[in-house]
Amino acid sequence: MGSGLGPYRYQLISDPGGLTQFGAFIEELAPGSASGFRHWHETEDEMVLILSGEAVLVEDSETTLRPGDAACWPAGNPVGHRLENRSDAPVRYLVIGTRNVSDVIHYSDHDLITHKEGKARRYLHRDGTPYPQGGKK
Amino acid sequence: MGSGLGPYRYQLISDPGGLTQFGAFIEELAPGSASGFRHWHETEDEMVLILSGEAVLVEDSETTLRPGDAACWPAGNPVGHRLENRSDAPVRYLVIGTRNVSDVIHYSDHDLITHKEGKARRYLHRDGTPYPQGGKK
């Protein structure tokens, strides 16, 4: 990721096991890191389950998540979300998301909408005008 | 479940959160219990992640799974599987499975094939002849 989100690492689980219908990976955020930019998916369900440590779920409000806590984002529900580690220890969680051929991802804090079609990506402004090819943010 | 599989309990995660594309729940097996009958799915990917305790994964061979271990079964891979708790402590794990409208479930140790179509279920012998309506095993 990069982009000022801080250090993180992840372990893919579903792909090495041959799954294609959903993706599952374990992500670990160092103190001060964030999972990504706030976003939501038009066509893909998404879920996290905290395994260890503590994360702050940032939506329009904030919620502290602890081991065993889960959060779900049904496809099409326009609630931008991300996790932040504001603690002084790593936080580990499982992320699960459907893998559809087509999806549209809305970034709540950026002028960016990403269209996914197979392996292709198109990056648009919110008004629908495309970013220059190769550009992203 | 019942049917001699022993005590277990589970906590649905994905449904309370409004997800429909995959199911996720945490299952806890008491010592001596099994997750179900060995089975595999024609159209749905399935995965488990051990959270605490120890389980024996029974396929054609046996594998001991410990916290952090995951196992994946891609749709259509004809490997019947189930988890057994042969330890003296509970085992907890996350189960994730795609939710398709149509699926066919093969039971490796039983003369049973279940056809799922929406909310309807048809129970067939392996030779394709149906069980009497209302009957299951």
Side-chain angles (χ1 to χ4, degrees):
Chain A
M1 289 224 176
S3 308
L5 295 166
Y8 85 118
R9 54 183 187 170
Y10 67 96
Q11 174 193 9
L12 279 168
I13 298 177
S14 54
D15 295 65
L19 305 191
T20 58
Q21 299 174 354
F22 56 83
F25 56 95
I26 292 174
E27 193 162 79
E28 181 178 303
L29 295 182
S33 290
S35 62
F37 300 114
R38 286 210 304 148
H39 72 282
W40 59 275
H41 297 267
E42 282 195 9
T43 77
E44 296 180 341
D45 280 0
E46 192 178 4
M47 193 191 102
V48 300
L49 173 70
I50 306 294
L51 299 174
S52 63
E54 194 175 292
V56 176
L57 166 60
V58 180
E59 297 174 316
D60 294 328
S61 60
E62 300 188 348
T63 312
T64 299
L65 302 180
R66 299 185 174 84
D69 288 343
C72 295
W73 299 280
N77 190 21
V79 177
H81 55 271
R82 74 172 190 171
L83 297 182
E84 298 181 5
N85 183 353
R86 300 181 187 169
S87 78
D88 55 7
V91 58
R92 293 175 68 248
Y93 50 89
L94 182 74
V95 184
I96 307 158
T98 314
R99 289 231 174 103
N100 285 335
V101 173
S102 302
D103 191 26
V104 178
I105 304 131
H106 297 255
Y107 291 87
S108 311
D109 303 318
H110 297 78
D111 178 24
L112 176 63
I113 297 175
T114 299
H115 286 248
K116 176 178 96 166
E117 189 64 39
K119 293 185 177 177
R121 300 287 183 280
R122 289 187 305 127
Y123 304 101
L124 308 177
H125 293 275
R126 282 187 184 163
D127 65 7
T129 58
Y131 278 90
Q133 195 156 7
K136 185 173 175 186
K137 297 265 154 42
Chain B
M1 287 222 174
S3 309
L5 295 168
Y8 85 118
R9 56 182 185 169
Y10 68 96
Q11 174 193 8
L12 279 168
I13 297 177
S14 54
D15 295 66
L19 305 191
T20 58
Q21 299 175 353
F22 55 83
F25 57 95
I26 292 174
E27 193 163 77
E28 180 178 304
L29 295 182
S33 290
S35 62
F37 300 115
R38 285 211 302 149
H39 72 282
W40 60 275
H41 297 266
E42 283 195 8
T43 77
E44 296 179 342
D45 280 0
E46 193 179 4
M47 193 192 103
V48 300
L49 173 70
I50 306 295
L51 299 174
S52 63
E54 195 175 290
V56 177
L57 166 60
V58 180
E59 296 175 316
D60 295 329
S61 60
E62 299 187 348
T63 311
T64 299
L65 301 180
R66 298 185 175 86
D69 288 344
C72 295
W73 299 279
N77 191 22
V79 176
H81 55 270
R82 74 173 190 169
L83 298 183
E84 298 181 5
N85 184 354
R86 299 180 188 169
S87 77
D88 55 8
V91 58
R92 293 175 67 249
Y93 49 88
L94 181 74
V95 183
I96 306 159
T98 314
R99 290 230 173 104
N100 285 334
V101 172
S102 302
D103 191 27
V104 178
I105 304 132
H106 296 255
Y107 291 87
S108 311
D109 302 319
H110 297 79
D111 178 23
L112 175 64
I113 296 175
T114 298
H115 286 248
K116 177 179 94 164
E117 190 63 40
K119 292 186 177 178
R121 300 288 182 279
R122 290 187 305 126
Y123 303 100
L124 308 177
H125 293 274
R126 282 186 183 165
D127 66 7
T129 58
Y131 279 89
Q133 195 156 8
K136 183 173 175 184
K137 298 264 151 43

